Amino acid sequence: MNQMRHLTVVFFVLLLSAFSPLGARTEAGVASRTATVEGVTLHFLAAGHGPAVILLHGYTQTSRMWRPIIPLLAQKFTVIAPDLPGIGDSAIPRDGLDMKTAAVRIHGLVKSLAIERVRVVGHDIGLMVAYAYAAQFPTETEKLVLMDAFLPGVPGWEAVYDDPHTWHFRFNGPTPEALVRGREGTYFAYFWNDLAADKTRSVPAEDRAAYVAAYSRPGRMRAGWAYFAAWPQTAKEFATLAQTKLSIPVLTIGGEKSLGDVLGQQAKLVATDVTVVVLKDTGHWVLEERRRETTDAITKFL
């Protein structure tokens, strides 16, 4: 039955490749796709065959962040890397730009691809969506990877959220939007440089330009900020979800120069089978700063 399911997934992806008007191929056989889920068009990258893996990007980035790792994972897995709702080439929904709703929409995307069970990987705000996915659909989630951020509403999050150095958590609204407009590159450089252990090993220049272009489009910065603005609501929702511990294997990857093992300790409060990896001399951008170590940890776990 598993083999038949995997063959069905492969056939479906190939079918999309043949008939989707937006089914352009990117490098290394990675395909660019769109699907409409409950009236919201979601863009995603797709590749490979086998058990399904969902890759969820973080703030200041899009699904593009996963391109270096997709070909490797595609050797063993069906890889789906969406742009989160409102970000990248996914449409901006009228409402529901929060972690829990985003997870429901990603789940709708998964079901539209005839995929029954997934392994979910998320970085930054993407890890929050990943946790919301696993917590809401536990019987359809096989494994969970959370990469360097925190879980709102789970003990340990307050110190991070209220740290005065993390001013950007509450920097959103009409005035910040006016201040950032036309200066998106300067604003994002703070994240890519200051949150890295070494800015020269952070997000590459080509990717920076692509992300700035993506978030500079009308309404896109506001949509990205909506996920930050939703954290108080998310905290209440996660506190409720966390009352039922996940029984699936969970891996956390943190940067020593970022939040360290804060996420790992939180994960132990919401799951029973947790592996914690803290990468030395690494900041927030674990995949970009320590690509080999991060990739090895993910592939070994999955």
Side-chain angles (χ1 to χ4, degrees):
M1 291 298 293
N2 287 337
Q3 184 178 8
M4 289 297 297
R5 184 173 73 246
H6 297 159
L7 288 173
T8 299
V9 170
V10 174
F11 173 77
F12 192 86
V13 170
L14 291 174
L15 190 65
L16 281 173
S17 177
F19 294 102
S20 172
L22 295 178
R25 285 279 169 179
T26 62
E27 71 280 1
V30 180
S32 176
R33 302 280 179 260
T34 61
T36 299
V37 179
E38 297 182 1
V40 178
T41 299
L42 299 179
H43 169 261
F44 61 98
L45 302 177
H49 57 85
V53 175
I54 308 299
L55 305 176
L56 302 175
H57 67 85
Y59 182 63
T60 80
Q61 296 182 297
T62 67
S63 58
R64 178 188 178 96
M65 72 162 284
W66 300 110
R67 287 188 178 185
I69 196 175
I70 288 176
L72 179 62
L73 292 176
Q75 296 176 22
K76 297 175 59 177
F77 300 101
T78 295
V79 183
I80 304 295
D83 288 335
L84 292 178
I87 298 178
D89 289 326
S90 288
I92 302 175
R94 293 184 178 180
D95 54 23
L97 281 170
D98 61 83
M99 316 308 177
K100 191 175 179 181
T101 306
V104 171
R105 288 179 168 133
I106 298 300
H107 177 259
L109 170 64
V110 169
K111 300 304 288 185
S112 76
L113 297 176
I115 297 174
E116 296 178 6
R117 292 172 62 81
V118 297
R119 305 169 191 200
V120 190
V121 181
H123 175 249
D124 190 73
I125 62 171
L127 81 80
M128 303 173 194
V129 178
Y131 170 71
Y133 190 109
Q136 292 180 96
F137 310 106
T139 62
E140 299 175 48
T141 308
E142 296 178 318
K143 294 183 179 181
L144 177 65
V145 181
L146 309 175
M147 297 165 54
D148 205 81
F150 61 95
L151 293 170
V154 177
W157 85 285
E158 300 91 344
V160 180
Y161 185 59
D162 292 329
D163 185 337
H165 294 96
T166 54
W167 56 270
H168 54 279
F169 286 169
R170 294 175 173 85
F171 186 76
N172 58 77
T175 298
E177 188 173 353
L179 290 171
V180 169
R181 188 178 300 118
R183 305 178 183 86
E184 291 85 357
T186 300
Y187 170 64
F188 278 174
Y190 157 74
F191 292 85
W192 298 326
N193 295 342
D194 292 21
L195 301 186
D198 178 354
K199 65 181 181 181
T200 66
R201 295 173 59 90
S202 181
V203 178
E206 184 179 358
D207 289 344
R208 293 184 183 210
Y211 297 143
V212 168
Y215 282 82
S216 296
R217 292 156 54 197
R220 295 291 167 165
M221 190 65 71
R222 188 183 314 159
W225 279 340
Y227 287 95
F228 284 0
W231 274 344
Q233 170 193 338
T234 298
K236 295 177 182 178
E237 293 169 344
F238 279 17
T240 299
L241 292 173
Q243 293 178 15
T244 302
K245 282 195 170 186
L246 298 175
S247 59
I248 60 173
V250 176
L251 169 68
T252 68
I253 304 175
E256 180 190 39
K257 303 296 185 180
S258 182
L259 296 181
D261 68 346
V262 169
L263 180 60
Q265 296 307 310
Q266 285 189 304
K268 291 178 180 179
L269 297 176
V270 303
T272 59
D273 182 3
V274 178
T275 300
V276 178
V277 172
V278 177
L279 300 176
K280 293 183 178 181
D281 299 319
T282 306
H284 177 62
W285 312 101
V286 291
L287 182 59
E288 291 80 6
E289 295 181 59
R290 291 283 184 265
R291 180 171 296 173
R292 182 180 61 81
E293 293 88 343
T294 302
T295 301
D296 286 351
I298 293 173
T299 54
K300 179 181 178 180
F301 177 76
L302 292 178

